[in-house]
Amino acid sequence: MHTVISRLNSNVAYTSSVLGGLVFMCFLSTFFLDYTTHAQIGTVNVVVKHVSDYSASREKNDLGFLTFDLQADLNPLFNWNVKQLFLYLSAEYATPKNAVNQVVLWDKIIQRGENALLNYKSMNTKYYFWDDGNGLKNHQNVTLTLSWNVIPNAGNLPRVQAKGSHSFKFPAEYTTSRT
């Protein structure tokens, strides 16, 4: 009964139980914290083009271009349990073809210890703003929101949306020149 393997087994089981309990306590210590903050978003320049898609059908779809301003202080979101934040700026709008369209236009990873004070002026989008059809021209209500995923050392992975959003409209005419 008191072999080396049975003693080793009981020590490993006890150590695993204690470590599991400690990780759970670490998780509980930050689970109820509020990870929201205010963000100010604005658009500087908005244009829409009617261009050929790269698919085999070669049909024309709307492609939106915009530059935006973004201000947010994300420093209060960091605590001992937050390794990094994955930020993303998304646009949401409705078309007759689709009730809800969501497009990620920009993203950024901020790790603990980096500057988390965002003050961007006239930023270009990182990803294309394609519409599946002709839904961007003269669209009157496109909403930009900043969201982030909190990447912790231990615990759940909350997805949080910033307080504050920005709505804008696309022009009624297509732009033919290069932007």
Side-chain angles (χ1 to χ4, degrees):
M1 270 296 192
H2 299 288
T3 66
V4 173
I5 293 181
S6 68
R7 288 182 186 194
L8 182 65
N9 183 29
S10 72
N11 283 336
V12 168
Y14 177 73
T15 304
S16 298
S17 299
V18 169
L19 288 176
L22 288 173
V23 167
F24 183 72
M25 296 303 286
C26 291
F27 156 71
L28 279 182
S29 71
T30 58
F31 179 72
F32 298 104
L33 294 179
D34 184 21
Y35 288 106
T36 59
T37 189
H38 187 73
Q40 293 178 338
I41 308 165
T43 52
V44 178
N45 186 24
V46 179
V47 295
V48 63
K49 294 183 178 184
H50 198 60
V51 296
S52 296
D53 193 0
Y54 296 109
S55 65
S57 64
R58 293 284 190 201
E59 64 185 47
K60 289 195 169 203
N61 293 326
D62 285 354
L63 178 60
F65 291 96
L66 62 106
T67 54
F68 62 93
D69 294 339
L70 175 64
Q71 289 85 30
D73 184 10
L74 304 177
N75 285 314
L77 303 180
F78 283 93
N79 57 46
W80 69 270
N81 194 26
V82 176
K83 280 197 286 190
Q84 65 186 20
L85 297 175
F86 175 73
L87 311 171
Y88 53 98
L89 182 73
S90 58
E92 185 171 323
Y93 61 101
T95 58
K97 205 178 208 184
N98 298 312
V100 176
N101 296 288
Q102 292 179 324
V103 180
V104 173
L105 301 174
W106 174 86
D107 64 10
K108 179 176 178 67
I109 295 174
I110 299 177
Q111 296 186 355
R112 183 184 4 208
E114 291 182 4
N115 184 14
L117 182 63
L118 306 179
N119 190 16
Y120 297 128
K121 301 282 186 196
S122 297
M123 287 281 295
N124 290 320
T125 59
K126 195 173 180 182
Y127 306 108
Y128 288 119
F129 193 164
W130 281 104
D131 180 65
D132 187 20
N134 302 321
L136 294 183
K137 178 181 162 187
N138 201 26
H139 198 288
Q140 298 297 310
N141 188 18
V142 179
T143 303
L144 293 177
T145 55
L146 180 68
S147 303
W148 53 83
N149 293 10
V150 178
I151 313 297
N153 292 315
N156 67 332
L157 300 164
R159 186 178 64 97
V160 183
Q161 186 171 331
K163 295 176 187 171
S165 61
H166 174 70
S167 294
F168 69 95
K169 61 182 179 177
F170 276 102
E173 298 296 325
Y174 289 121
T175 301
T176 56
S177 64
R178 296 179 68 108
T179 59

